[in-house]
Amino acid sequence: MMSSLVLMLLALICTLCFNGVMVHSAQAEEASLNLPKTSAEFFALFSSKGASETLELLQIDKGNAFNRWVLWSLHSVNKPHWRIENKSHARVFDLLNWSRQQGLMPRLIEINKICHKGMEHSQEVDNNDMAIPPKPKGQIPTSSWTELWISCHKKLSSRERTASNCIDIPGIVVSSSNPDKPNNPCEKEYRMVDGAHRMCLRKYGLVLLEGEMAELQSLLTTANGLDERQDIIDKITDKENMIIKVSHAMFLEMDQEMFESMLIHSDNPVRHHQEWAKTVNLSQELKDEWKLWMRRVLAHVHDWRDNYPKDIENKENDEL
């Protein structure tokens, strides 16, 4: 009797686990199907053509984007791997408003120096239950595709968030005050506190570029004649340059001490933040100053895009 009961319980547990994996697998596969399959489609959809177009997405007094992605957004610091003692969250509005008051402009940072939420899963040994959807193209490196979905599956599975994102909008990163004690579970130079969905989209675009470059490299073996071979080599060079460009982005940066000074403690951070957001009444003066600052920020970002790769070369020379 006891052994039958144990078997029934084991069967139930296995069924629940299997169904959970199936649900995550279905969500991941659906997300993958809804995302672009080529880099050209990707950048046409998720990268704006000019600063004015990006600014239109962030109008503080037009539509609902500002309320949803700024006023109502928070960065939690009470979760495993990301915990800061005796604090629960930071308001994204506070982080951006401080940046505005300081007149900060975004700076160029390699994205592989930044740790965002989700990347802590990459540190875990057992990821066998992680649902990895099929690759849109076979030439995409399996390791890159797997790593992307391990660290970004939640972000990329949010169809509403990906559909409304523009990767040109700068995220916010916090530098570690003590290089020997990183402020993130990846032990990288920066902790991302806003912009993880955009970061994951950028990484998806990079993976598409890697697959397209691998496809071009495979064509070299079957190229007929010097002209065709040179044409393929030129396209490979273009992809390599694009990969370098997309692997860098503009971010607003603050130090750990300033970030921690803006942290809040609440036993229920989501409810606490919602109640705060409902009471916020922004003055017209603040709105006008915000729009002017954001216009300068986005013009700075688009100026970098127009002057690439010179800015990256200068940055690398400065770091030597």
Side-chain angles (χ1 to χ4, degrees):
M1 180 70 178
M2 183 62 70
S3 61
S4 298
L5 181 60
V6 170
L7 288 172
M8 289 175 63
L9 287 171
L10 287 173
L12 177 60
I13 291 170
C14 288
T15 300
L16 290 172
C17 291
F18 178 74
N19 286 341
V21 171
M22 288 294 287
V23 168
H24 290 306
S25 177
Q27 289 175 340
E29 188 163 349
E30 181 183 1
S32 178
L33 289 173
N34 289 325
L35 289 168
K37 304 300 183 291
T38 69
S39 63
E41 294 173 0
F42 174 85
F43 292 108
L45 186 61
F46 294 118
S47 182
S48 63
K49 297 180 178 63
S52 59
E53 183 178 330
T54 313
L55 188 66
E56 191 65 26
L57 299 172
L58 295 173
Q59 289 293 347
I60 193 170
D61 51 4
K62 186 187 298 183
N64 199 35
F66 178 84
N67 288 340
R68 293 176 68 189
W69 312 133
V70 177
L71 207 58
W72 290 86
S73 291
L74 58 84
H75 174 79
S76 61
V77 298
N78 60 349
K79 305 297 183 184
H81 304 291
W82 297 90
R83 193 182 306 278
I84 294 179
E85 191 174 357
N86 299 322
K87 301 295 181 181
S88 61
H89 65 287
R91 300 167 182 149
V92 169
F93 173 80
D94 290 347
L95 304 178
L96 285 171
N97 198 39
W98 176 84
S99 301
R100 176 191 67 81
Q101 292 169 333
Q102 301 301 311
L104 285 190
M105 288 292 107
R107 60 181 296 261
L108 190 63
I109 300 176
E110 275 188 82
I111 65 171
N112 64 8
K113 295 182 178 180
I114 300 170
C115 184
H116 62 77
K117 287 187 177 179
M119 289 177 67
E120 67 272 16
H121 299 304
S122 301
Q123 315 300 315
E124 297 168 1
V125 176
D126 185 11
N127 284 303
N128 292 329
D129 61 345
M130 189 69 69
I132 309 296
K135 294 184 287 186
K137 286 195 173 184
Q139 291 83 2
I140 291 175
T142 299
S143 58
S144 298
W145 184 250
T146 301
E147 172 64 23
L148 172 71
W149 284 95
I150 287 174
S151 61
C152 286
H153 67 284
K154 286 185 178 179
K155 304 292 187 292
L156 294 177
S157 295
S158 175
R159 189 172 181 179
E160 180 185 19
R161 292 297 297 272
T162 56
S164 59
N165 262 320
C166 171
I167 64 171
D168 299 323
I169 298 170
I172 308 173
V173 296
V174 177
S175 57
S176 297
S177 302
N178 182 355
D180 298 323
K181 188 180 179 182
N183 60 8
N184 60 81
C186 316
E187 298 187 350
K188 292 185 177 289
E189 293 182 34
Y190 302 95
R191 171 188 181 128
M192 173 161 270
V193 295
D194 177 62
H197 287 83
R198 299 191 295 279
M199 176 70 92
C200 282
L201 272 176
R202 180 176 290 273
K203 289 183 174 181
Y204 179 86
L206 269 173
V207 166
L208 291 180
L209 286 168
E210 287 180 24
E212 290 167 358
M213 189 170 71
E215 184 178 6
L216 287 167
Q217 289 170 334
S218 69
L219 293 177
L220 277 176
T221 59
T222 59
N224 295 317
L226 291 177
D227 289 343
E228 183 178 348
R229 183 177 178 82
Q230 186 59 52
D231 181 60
I232 295 172
I233 290 173
D234 291 343
K235 290 178 180 177
I236 290 174
T237 300
D238 290 341
K239 292 294 179 187
E240 288 174 337
N241 288 334
M242 192 65 177
I243 286 172
I244 294 172
K245 180 178 183 180
V246 179
S247 64
H248 293 73
M250 288 284 189
F251 298 91
L252 295 165
E253 179 189 350
M254 64 175 57
D255 62 36
Q256 183 73 14
E257 184 178 356
M258 180 54 62
F259 172 64
E260 291 191 11
S261 73
M262 288 186 264
L263 294 179
I264 299 164
H265 172 73
S266 173
D267 292 333
N268 190 330
V270 174
R271 180 182 297 173
H272 182 277
H273 186 71
Q274 289 175 342
E275 290 174 354
W276 168 83
K278 289 177 183 177
T279 64
V280 172
N281 184 21
L282 303 178
S283 68
Q284 189 58 49
E285 181 181 7
L286 186 146
K287 291 179 180 179
D288 292 341
E289 290 177 356
W290 187 289
K291 285 187 285 188
L292 287 173
W293 172 68
M294 187 56 67
R295 184 173 286 110
R296 291 196 298 269
V297 165
L298 295 175
H300 185 72
V301 171
H302 287 276
D303 182 60
W304 165 72
R305 289 201 329 174
D306 293 342
N307 288 289
Y308 163 85
K310 183 179 179 181
D311 286 352
I312 290 178
E313 292 171 354
N314 290 341
K315 176 178 180 295
E316 290 174 344
N317 290 333
D318 290 342
E319 292 176 349
L320 290 177

